[in-house]
Amino acid sequence: MTAQPPLAVEIVDNMEKASGKFPGYRRAHARGACFQATFEPTGKVAELTTAAHLTGEPVAATVRFSNAGGSPHVPDGSRSGRGIAVKFHLADGTDTDLVGVNLPVFIAATPEHFLKLLAALTPGEDGQRDPAKLQGFLAEYPEAVPGFQAVGTMPIPTSYGTARYWAIHAFTWVNAQGQRQSVRYRWEPDLGEQSVTEQEAADWDEAYLTEELERRLADGPVRLTLHVQLAEPGDPTNDCTKAWPADRPELVVGHLTIKAPVADQAYWAGQVFDPTRVTAGIELSDDPVLAIRKAAYAVSYERRSHDA
Ligand code: HEM
């Protein structure tokens, strides 16, 4: 494989230390399942981007929903992150990915801070995390506090189809005239946001949300709607711990219709959903966390593909 940057290797090493190592699984969002879908653009964003899947004909998509834990055994009834990774299959034979979680902002502003955070979250020899270490991290990097508040209060969704998901980073849309607009993506569930308490979810199976979605799809499709928030000059594009003001204009980009589990779960589990796999009409922002993710996902992919 191509050598990856040492920082990305060190980050994945520390993700394994913080969560444990589970051969064959992704080093984050370890347990997940993939579904067949289509994405139909609303036609409302063609003045801002030339991206074919956001402006043209409907496209097929593959969606992986996941529990964020690095262990595949984190129960779905717990207050853990949930992921949505969408791979849009474009008419020219290429793919483009959009990866989100049920958090509006991230918990570290740079890859270096994220590395320090992982160290603070790594259990000691007694197998326990030391809360003082996390407090120390938050005191040193107070910009991470909103992300941690969101982690502490995130809803436990009744379904993967009843959660809201954010792609968090800024991306840059480019239109036919070459003009640029910074955007942030968010998926809204057409069923509305619905959640349960930890007590109500206490008897759920570990992989309840996958089973729930499979049951629900047997009765009909589940839809999520893609929104974008448009930045105004001065809104930060390089700091994923900071939300943009809530009054920024928004557009409805399109509708994702999730239809059925994919036929070959093992094949799709083996793929990478890479947040930096963009397409013409979309560019990466200057967010350093977005930049390191490409390499970190490649390190995880290499390891999980070759685990004994
Ligand atoms: C420094 C920041 C981050 C690092 C180092 C990191 C690392 C990773 C790694 C190593 C994987 C497993 C990749 C694979 O084996 O295919 C992963 C998966 C994932 N991450 Fe991140 N991540 C970061 C930030 C984020 C952010 C900001 C989001 C939210 C937008 C996010 C959402 C996800 C999701 C949804 C998956 C599962 C993707 C799938 O289903 O294939 N991550 N992450």
Side-chain angles (χ1 to χ4, degrees):
M1 76 179 274
T2 322
Q4 297 298 342
L7 180 58
V9 174
E10 205 181 340
I11 285 175
V12 177
D13 286 345
N14 281 273
M15 291 172 82
E16 290 176 352
K17 281 187 199 150
S19 302
K21 197 171 160 185
F22 299 89
Y25 287 93
R26 284 166 171 71
R27 272 35 178 182
H29 294 259
R31 191 179 65 248
C34 293
F35 297 85
Q36 302 167 26
T38 53
F39 181 78
E40 189 174 357
T42 56
K44 290 185 179 159
V45 303
E47 287 181 6
L48 293 176
T49 174
T50 58
H53 63 305
L54 305 184
T55 56
E57 295 299 312
V59 292
T62 306
V63 180
R64 182 174 184 269
F65 286 107
S66 57
N67 186 310
S71 159
H73 304 301
V74 174
D76 279 350
S78 64
R79 213 171 288 285
S80 164
R82 319 290 159 178
I84 182 171
V86 182
K87 196 177 278 295
F88 301 88
H89 307 300
L90 308 185
D92 68 2
T94 62
D95 291 333
T96 182
D97 298 346
L98 182 61
V99 181
V101 284
N102 59 340
L103 279 181
V105 288
F106 196 49
I107 47 182
T110 70
E112 291 80 6
H113 297 181
F114 187 62
L115 192 54
K116 289 194 178 176
L117 173 61
L118 289 169
L121 293 176
T122 299
E125 282 178 10
D126 58 358
Q128 301 297 315
R129 283 181 179 169
D130 178 355
K133 288 191 178 168
L134 180 57
Q135 290 311 320
F137 173 83
L138 292 175
E140 195 173 353
Y141 303 106
E143 71 277 8
V145 170
F148 270 92
Q149 281 167 344
V151 168
T153 55
M154 63 169 55
I156 301 173
T158 57
S159 170
Y160 278 128
T162 61
R164 304 168 82 198
Y165 304 91
W166 288 259
I168 296 187
H169 308 283
F171 288 83
T172 309
W173 277 1
V174 186
N175 71 8
Q177 290 74 42
Q179 293 162 328
R180 291 177 151 67
Q181 168 69 51
S182 293
V183 300
R184 278 177 163 171
Y185 299 94
R186 184 180 77 249
W187 291 106
E188 289 284 345
D190 286 18
L191 288 165
E193 199 176 22
Q194 297 173 34
S195 58
V196 289
T197 63
E198 272 161 321
Q199 290 73 23
E200 286 166 329
D203 62 351
W204 283 6
D205 288 350
E206 185 178 279
Y208 172 87
L209 290 178
T210 300
E211 296 153 15
E212 192 279 340
L213 187 54
E214 287 171 358
R215 276 198 306 273
R216 193 184 282 270
L217 291 174
D219 288 336
V222 167
R223 300 218 311 171
L224 297 168
T225 295
L226 184 62
H227 295 240
V228 277
Q229 198 185 17
L230 307 179
E232 291 190 357
D235 288 342
T237 55
N238 64 351
D239 186 347
C240 54
T241 63
K242 289 194 176 51
W244 293 340
D247 63 359
R248 292 293 179 259
E250 290 196 1
L251 292 171
V252 178
V253 185
H255 303 283
L256 183 70
T257 303
I258 299 157
K259 295 172 176 170
V262 295
D264 189 346
Q265 286 291 348
Y267 171 81
W268 285 105
Q271 302 303 303
V272 179
F273 295 78
D274 173 354
T276 69
R277 185 182 283 127
V278 289
T279 190
I282 306 175
E283 293 175 355
L284 305 181
S285 65
D286 52 352
D287 185 334
V289 173
L290 178 57
I292 199 75
R293 286 176 68 191
K294 183 180 188 62
Y297 288 42
V299 173
S300 171
Y301 170 74
E302 181 68 16
R303 291 187 186 179
R304 64 183 165 90
S305 309
H306 294 101
D307 283 332

